């Protein structure tokens, strides 16, 4: 009724190829972005600092991995390490050149991560699937070894951790202890929205089509004239860029300090789960996946005591933690049984149903 | 006429009062903690995750002492303590989530219990004005109260611990000078916690003249130390200093017996528990560990916990767990918190104290031997006194040895080497403040210079 395309005609190729051809979609997206910015002023510190900022950071990392695994079909287990490269690069850059604005360095650190990603992406021409996963696993272990063993990376800090100094944007602190959650959130949101917009244009354009062609059948793609090495390396570069920026955001705008174990293999799996649950080859799926894996456990730890206390059941913090694992695990299995293509596919089906409602055919 | 005006005015005042009362109702109901007069003490615990075997002992000790005070004395100074646990699973991510979750509820003190979380919240604590008690862990440099007015890490730092271990090894060999030419191995968890003492160790190796060999163990490789022990077999160190946590400690003991390295030549920092030593059987006999408080349940206060909580089923702990080394460490942490609350109440004359009052309370903390006796823990630990500049105390510790069944105290009190450690701490604190540009100067007034 409200969501239908009747009366909206495409009269030229540009509008036909638009990412959001429906007016309702464009309005909806605008409303979501506007709402996200409004949350900065409506939400409390906990919502911003412990829920939304991590959610956006993980979404960005999931987009990065999705470009590689979902769009190009190259399985990677090195996401955590590539995030680490971004974080350590940003730390070195901002301590070496404190005069340059931190936002510039956060984005620039992505290029360091991209370069490292390309290096470890080189085997992808010869191997794929599980073999490539093992090659990226090597990246994970090698890079984490570097984070521990090269004291230059942490400016010879005794505890081996990176600590974020005070940095401002337009005179307002955005990095460091005095930065308010509002300021941090606005910066993270803006960067994530801008990079998502960029990724969206990338995957819907010529480059994205070559990636998808390589994913679906690399031999056929090669016969069509797509050069495999360049395409795959570009996917590695763009993917690592996104992961690197996410890593820099994680340390500088969320944690405030980090040890090397933040970027361990678990972090890589965490992001991989988000991509699989959210939906391979879908940008919105990256957000869904991050929400399910990161926000649902937090919601449960608040929700479970509220649900159980009217029945006179009080449960300890550790029981909640176990229940969190069980419920999230159960949900993951449930969603994958109901829809193996992830939450993004469910979302797509729901939209399709709405378009033909109330006359399904 | 005047009477009428007066009446009207009174009616107006009454209306105003009523309106005000109605308007403020929702405000009152939204702040029940103020009405019930409670002091909010959150503990970050890990009963799940890779370190849960140690974490649940600590968590039980932390909670039980406070709940015992609630049951026995009705809280502290007539105010009940609202003890709250937040599960971190030893994960920095969840630790920060916990910090954000409790921040708004006026917590008087936060005990992070993981080095990663401690590092992350150290800069925030000064901004949010919440004291952090990272007892004998976290940033060693935060012992300098002039730079870190909100952070406390009594009763000793990792640097103190290492100095005491080296001093003990020296005593075994007949004085520090006799260590010249000896070989000491350093087996450590390759993270912030294990790396922290390295600068001091290197300095000591140079000044005393012993040969230092380092064996780092990556956190994900805690249970696989074959490579490190291959190196130990080759280098044949005279002693091994162990800085481990979790599964790393029993693995080290097992590997030591396989390599034929005597357990009584391994001296560890204070984290190994009964379970770590017990699980390796005979091989653990003779293992030496630094400790600063009593083991066992023969203290009146711990008997009270047994009587009031364990026997009535109000505690998570069982009778056997009571008095275990990590359980008692949790109790020690809670004693520090409880005594600081009492101190802050006396200092300010308030019943329900604020985080700022608590900061002053910890800063002027002074638990004498008599006070230990009063609270039912005579001989449990040495007296401790903090001040504005010294947030640590740098207390002595002793060596306890595993006899195959239990920990037995096997040395006198060993003093740390303050002349060596203090300059390192002030240098590290200065460096920290410089590295974190915009680090605030201390503006907090001082009660106990």
């Amino acid at each position: 009724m409200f969501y239908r395309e009747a009366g909206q005609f495409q009269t030229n190729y540009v509008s036909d190829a638009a990412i959001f051809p429906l007016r309702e979609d464009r309005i909806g997206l605008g409303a979501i972005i506007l709402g996200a910015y409004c949350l900065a002023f409506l939400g409390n510190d906990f919502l911003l600092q412990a829920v939304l900022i991590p959610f956006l950071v993980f979404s960005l990392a999931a987009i990065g991995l999705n470009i590689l695994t979902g769009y190009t079909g190259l399985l990677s287990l090195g996401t955590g390490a590539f995030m680490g490269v971004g974080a350590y690069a940003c730390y070195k850059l901002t301590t070496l050149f404190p005069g340059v604005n931190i936002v510039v360095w956060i984005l620039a650190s992505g290029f360091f991560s991209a370069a490292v990603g390309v290096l470890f992406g080189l085997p992808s021409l010869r191997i794929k699937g599980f073999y490539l996963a093992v090659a990226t696993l090597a990246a994970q272990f090698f890079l984490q070894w570097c984070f521990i063993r090269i004291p230059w990376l942490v400016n010879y800090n005794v505890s081996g951790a990176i600590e974020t100094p005070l940095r401002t944007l337009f005179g307002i602190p955005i990095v460091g202890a005095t930065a308010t959650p509002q300021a941090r959130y606005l910066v993270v949101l803006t960067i994530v929205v801008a990079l998502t917009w960029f990724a969206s244009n990338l995957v819907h354009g010529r480059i994205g089509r070559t990636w998808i062609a390589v994913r679906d059948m690399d031999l056929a793609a090669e016969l069509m004239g797509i050069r495999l090495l360049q395409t795959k390396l570009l996917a590695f570069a763009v993917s690592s860029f996104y992961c690197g920026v996410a890593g820099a955001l994680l340390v500088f705008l969320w944690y405030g300090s980090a040890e090397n174990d933040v970027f361990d293999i678990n972090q890589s799996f965490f992001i991989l789960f988000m991509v699989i649950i959210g939906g391979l080859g879908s940008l919105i799926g990256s957000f869904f996946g991050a929400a399910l894996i990161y926000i649902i456990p937090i919601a449960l730890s608040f929700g479970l005591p509220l649900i159980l206390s009217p029945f006179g059941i009080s449960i300890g913090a550790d029981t909640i933690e176990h229940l969190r694992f069980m419920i999230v695990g159960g949900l993951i299995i449930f969603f994958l049984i109901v829809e193996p293509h992830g939450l993004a596919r469910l979302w797509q089906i729901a939209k399709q149903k709405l378009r033909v409602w109330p006359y399904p055919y | 006429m005047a009477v009428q005006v007066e009446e009207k005015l009174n009616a107006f005042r009454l209306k105003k009062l009523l309106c005000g009362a109605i308007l403020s109702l929702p405000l009152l109901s939204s702040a029940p903690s103020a009405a019930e007069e409670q002091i909010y003490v959150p503990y970050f615990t890990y009963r799940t995750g890779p370190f849960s075997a140690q974490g649940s002992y600590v968590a039980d000790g932390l909670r039980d002492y406070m709940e015992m005070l609630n049951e026995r004395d009705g809280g502290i100074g007539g105010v009940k303590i609202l003890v709250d646990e937040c599960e971190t699973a030893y994960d920095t991510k969840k630790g920060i989530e916990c910090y954000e979750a409790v921040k708004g509820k006026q917590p008087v003190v936060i005990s992070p219990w993981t080095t990663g979380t401690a590092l992350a919240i150290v800069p925030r604590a000064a901004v949010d004005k919440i004291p952090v008690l990272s007892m004998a862990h976290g940033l060693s440099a935060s012992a300098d109260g002039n730079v870190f007015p909100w952070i406390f890490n009594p009763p000793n730092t990792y640097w103190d611990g290492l100095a005491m271990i080296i001093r003990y090894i020296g005593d075994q060999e007949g004085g520090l000078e006799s260590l010249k030419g000896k070989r000491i191995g350093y087996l450590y968890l390759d993270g912030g916690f294990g790396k922290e003492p390295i600068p001091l160790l290197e300095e000591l190796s140079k000044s005393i003249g012993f040969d230092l060999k380092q064996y780092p163990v990556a956190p994900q490789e805690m249970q696989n130390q074959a490579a490190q022990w291959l190196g130990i077999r080759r280098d044949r160190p005279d002693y091994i200093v162990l800085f481990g946590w979790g599964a790393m400690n029993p693995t080290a003991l097992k590997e030591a017996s396989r390599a034929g390295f005597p357990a009584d030549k391994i001296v560890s920092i204070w984290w190994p528990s009964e379970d770590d030593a017990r699980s390796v059987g005979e091989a653990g006999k003779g293992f030496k560990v630094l400790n600063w408080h009593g083991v066992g349940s023969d203290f009146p206060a711990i008997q009270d916990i047994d009587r009031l909580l364990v026997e009535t089923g109000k505690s998570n702990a069982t009778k056997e767990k009571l008095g275990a080394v990590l359980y008692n460490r949790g109790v020690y942490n809670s004693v520090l918190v409880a005594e600081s609350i009492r101190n802050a109440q006396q200092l300010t004359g308030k019943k329900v104290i604020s985080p700022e009052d608590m900061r002053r309370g910890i800063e002027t903390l002074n638990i004498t031997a008599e006070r230990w006796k009063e609270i039912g823990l005579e001989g449990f630990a040495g007296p401790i006194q903090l001040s504005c500049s010294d947030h640590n105390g740098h207390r002595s510790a002793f060596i306890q040895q595993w006899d195959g069944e239990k920990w037995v105290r096997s040395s006198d009190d060993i003093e740390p080497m303050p002349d060596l450690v203090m300059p390192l701490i002030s240098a590290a604190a200065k460096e920290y403040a410089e590295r974190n540009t915009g680090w605030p100067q201390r503006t907090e007034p001082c009660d106990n210079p």
Side-chain angles (χ1 to χ4, degrees), chain A residues 32 60 90 105 118 128 198 284 300 333 336:
Chain A
I32 289 171
L60 192 66
C90 192
W105 285 143
V118 166
K128 52 187 173 183
F198 185 72
I284 195 158
L300 280 176
I333 294 171
L336 288 184

Side-chain angles (χ1 to χ4, degrees), chain B residues 14-136:
Chain B
L14 197 70
K15 264 186 198 160
K16 211 172 143 187
L17 209 69
L18 270 173
C19 282
I22 289 165
L23 279 176
S24 60
L25 261 179
L27 286 176
L28 278 175
S29 59
S30 70
S33 56
E36 284 164 29
E37 292 229 314
Q38 281 180 324
I39 295 176
Y40 180 60
V41 178
Y43 285 124
F44 294 2
T45 55
Y46 36 102
R47 295 174 184 273
T48 65
F51 298 95
S52 56
Q54 285 83 23
S56 13
Y57 280 105
V58 174
D60 287 340
L62 287 169
R63 165 175 279 272
D64 286 356
Y65 183 77
M66 281 297 180
E67 292 292 359
M68 184 274 284
L69 289 185
N70 276 340
E71 293 272 325
R72 193 188 64 188
D73 312 336
I76 300 170
V79 188
K80 283 249 182 194
I81 306 297
L82 178 63
V83 188
D84 188 19
E85 275 185 40
C86 191
E87 176 66 31
T88 68
Y90 205 85
D91 182 354
T92 306
K93 219 176 6 251
K94 289 185 186 151
I96 296 172
E97 184 194 316
C98 281
Y99 178 75
E100 294 296 332
V102 302
K103 194 174 85 179
K105 301 185 204 166
Q106 287 277 305
V108 289
V109 67
I110 281 174
S111 303
W113 273 97
T114 63
T115 306
T117 308
L119 284 177
I121 66 177
V122 158
R124 295 177 196 210
V127 178
D128 299 330
K129 311 271 179 218
I130 300 171
V132 174
L133 178 68
S134 52
M135 185 185 76

